[in-house]
Amino acid sequence: MNAPTKLEKKIHTLTHKPLFLVALFASTSMTVLGNVVIAPSLPALNEHFAHIPHADVLVPLILTLPSLFVMFFSPIAGIAIDTFGKLRFLLPSMVIWSVSGVLGFWLDDIYYILISRAVFGIATAFVMTSASVLVASYYTGSERQKMLGVQGFATAGGSAVFLSLAGYLSALSWRYPFLVYFLGFVFFILASIYLFEPKTPKHTLHESHSNEPFRIWAFIPVYFMGFFVMVTYFVSPTRLPFFITQYLHESPKIVGISMAISAVAFGIIALFYERIRIYLSIKQVYMVALAAMGSAFLLFFAFHTYWVVLVGLILLGCGGGLILVNNNSYLFNIAKPHQRGKAMGIMSSFMFFGQFASPLITQPFIRTYGLLELFLGLSVVIFALLGAVSLRKI
């Protein structure tokens, strides 16, 4: 094993400074703002634009349209950053992300808002892909596992904070949550001061200039898992609010708190990912996470009390957090250094496609069989996937 060079020691020192970590993980957590900030404003937006033809279709698009553009542009972003570098795209994208996000505060035409959301989605694709690949480029081995866990914690923590902030602001006006995107300018300043373009170590330099083609088939299981976990995890924000209010007859006021508890569980388990990997292999982490998610939906189906639902939400958050961090770790392990951007870009595309497809997949099932039957069906499918993973060599 080669001893670290002076340059590598200097990079190690730089990448462990507190303000550097704040800049890095603020950049990676920006993308959670996309849907979280606008979601509480949807009822007020629907009322404000009620006079517009097809407002019932157009208003929800304010929430989902960025996901579609992330899905289409993430692979392009991955190819671009592999070719030209990460910061060259990250910093301008952060500015565009902030400007297009905050524009909704001033716009009063729903079609202009939708155009701004489309631009916002394109910027999100570049921010998400660049920032995630930077984490993989700055750190290696167990250190990378630790930082991927911190990234998951920062993302979930940001989600919980922004969900609470957006809920408060949306009570004042549907316009005010758009102002939260001003935080992007703060994150941009931090990133421009503290982040740097990582250099490839000499002992892997020959890999970076390799002409070895990108073989997508090697990544299909990882991409499928990213898509699958998003389809199932997003049942929580899209279906459980109806379960809590209509089936359990609880107050709508506790829905936000319930979702936040799941996000906190997601973040905490991600933070402990490095320690979990000491005892469990990548395959075993997948199995434990799937068992947690399958058990959560089984609890939703079998026990109709709010406290059991909270336990299920904690299990769902833990399972989802483990799978996403484990997935990124596995992806960066099997991807060549010069292919990480492309590999992560396609991963982002699959994950956002899962978010977008989740209600489209689950709604026909609910219409035909019912919400409780959906929970049972998801549990069966998840445990079947658990069995398949147990038989596969990873």
Side-chain angles (χ1 to χ4, degrees):
M1 184 175 179
N2 296 328
T5 63
K6 288 184 178 179
L7 176 61
E8 289 172 335
K9 288 180 179 178
K10 182 179 179 180
I11 291 174
H12 181 273
T13 302
L14 286 173
T15 55
H16 287 74
K17 288 185 174 180
L19 285 175
F20 175 90
L21 295 173
V22 170
L24 177 61
F25 294 117
S27 302
T28 61
S29 68
M30 280 174 65
T31 52
V32 306
L33 280 165
N35 292 344
V36 168
V37 167
I38 303 303
S41 295
L42 284 183
L45 279 162
N46 202 53
E47 183 178 344
H48 183 78
F49 292 111
H51 63 286
I52 302 294
H54 311 296
D56 59 328
V57 175
L58 295 174
V59 169
L61 279 178
I62 296 174
L63 184 70
T64 58
L65 198 62
S67 295
L68 272 182
F69 278 83
V70 173
M71 183 180 77
F72 290 128
F73 280 87
S74 289
I76 298 172
I79 294 170
I81 67 172
D82 276 341
T83 306
F84 301 106
K86 292 86 173 170
L87 284 187
R88 185 172 293 182
F89 289 96
L90 175 63
L91 297 177
S93 298
M94 292 174 80
V95 175
I96 296 170
W97 182 95
S98 304
V99 171
S100 58
V102 81
L103 270 177
F105 177 79
W106 289 283
L107 296 175
D108 204 33
D109 185 308
I110 192 168
Y111 295 101
Y112 287 147
I113 292 176
L114 288 173
I115 292 171
S116 73
R117 299 300 285 171
V119 175
F120 178 85
I122 297 171
T124 298
F126 281 88
V127 172
M128 168 181 275
T129 307
S130 302
S132 295
V133 175
L134 277 177
V135 175
S137 301
Y138 288 140
Y139 309 99
T140 59
S142 61
E143 195 70 22
R144 180 189 295 161
Q145 293 174 8
K146 178 180 178 180
M147 292 306 172
L148 286 173
V150 175
Q151 179 187 2
F153 176 78
T155 301
S159 178
V161 170
F162 296 137
L163 183 63
S164 303
L165 181 59
Y168 172 76
L169 292 174
S170 66
L172 303 175
S173 168
W174 64 264
R175 295 183 184 276
Y176 287 138
F178 286 98
L179 294 177
V180 178
Y181 292 117
F182 268 121
L183 285 172
F185 292 110
V186 178
F187 299 157
F188 163 75
I189 293 170
L190 288 171
S192 60
I193 294 173
Y194 293 103
L195 301 187
F196 58 90
E197 187 68 33
K199 303 295 182 184
T200 305
K202 290 182 179 179
H203 59 275
T204 60
L205 195 58
H206 66 282
E207 285 188 31
S208 294
H209 293 113
S210 168
N211 292 320
E212 183 180 345
F214 180 79
R215 294 183 173 87
I216 193 171
W217 295 109
F219 299 92
I220 290 298
V222 191
Y223 293 153
F224 170 78
M225 193 65 77
F227 170 79
F228 180 83
V229 73
M230 280 301 175
V231 169
T232 51
Y233 186 77
F234 262 70
V235 169
S236 169
T238 58
R239 304 301 173 193
L240 280 176
F242 297 98
F243 180 64
I244 291 171
T245 57
Q246 296 177 6
Y247 281 77
L248 304 184
H249 305 291
E250 298 287 347
S251 169
K253 294 179 181 179
I254 66 173
V255 170
I257 297 173
S258 305
M259 299 300 106
I261 287 173
S262 182
V264 169
F266 184 112
I268 291 174
I269 200 71
L271 196 60
F272 284 93
Y273 176 74
E274 182 206 11
R275 297 184 186 181
I276 293 171
R277 283 284 283 113
I278 294 173
Y279 304 100
L280 301 178
S281 66
I282 285 178
K283 175 179 176 177
Q284 289 170 332
V285 172
Y286 277 133
M287 293 173 66
V288 169
L290 287 169
M293 294 186 73
S295 299
F297 285 111
L298 199 57
L299 287 176
F300 299 150
F301 169 75
F303 301 98
H304 303 155
T305 66
Y306 178 67
W307 295 109
V308 174
V309 168
L310 285 184
V311 173
L313 283 167
I314 292 170
L315 286 173
L316 192 63
C318 288
L322 272 180
I323 288 180
L324 288 183
V325 179
N326 199 50
N327 230 28
N328 285 349
S329 178
Y330 186 33
L331 177 80
F332 291 132
N333 282 345
I334 63 178
K336 302 294 183 184
H338 65 288
Q339 296 175 342
R340 285 177 184 152
K342 185 185 294 184
M344 188 64 206
I346 299 173
M347 167 73 90
S348 300
S349 183
F350 271 87
M351 289 173 61
F352 272 83
F353 180 48
Q355 289 183 22
F356 183 77
S358 181
L360 300 179
I361 293 171
T362 56
Q363 184 57 38
F365 192 97
I366 293 172
R367 190 182 297 119
T368 305
Y369 300 104
L371 184 58
L372 294 179
E373 288 71 18
L374 172 69
F375 296 153
L376 178 61
L378 286 172
S379 180
V380 171
V381 171
I382 291 170
F383 279 114
L385 181 59
L386 170 58
V389 170
S390 69
L391 298 175
R392 191 177 186 277
K393 185 178 180 181
I394 297 178

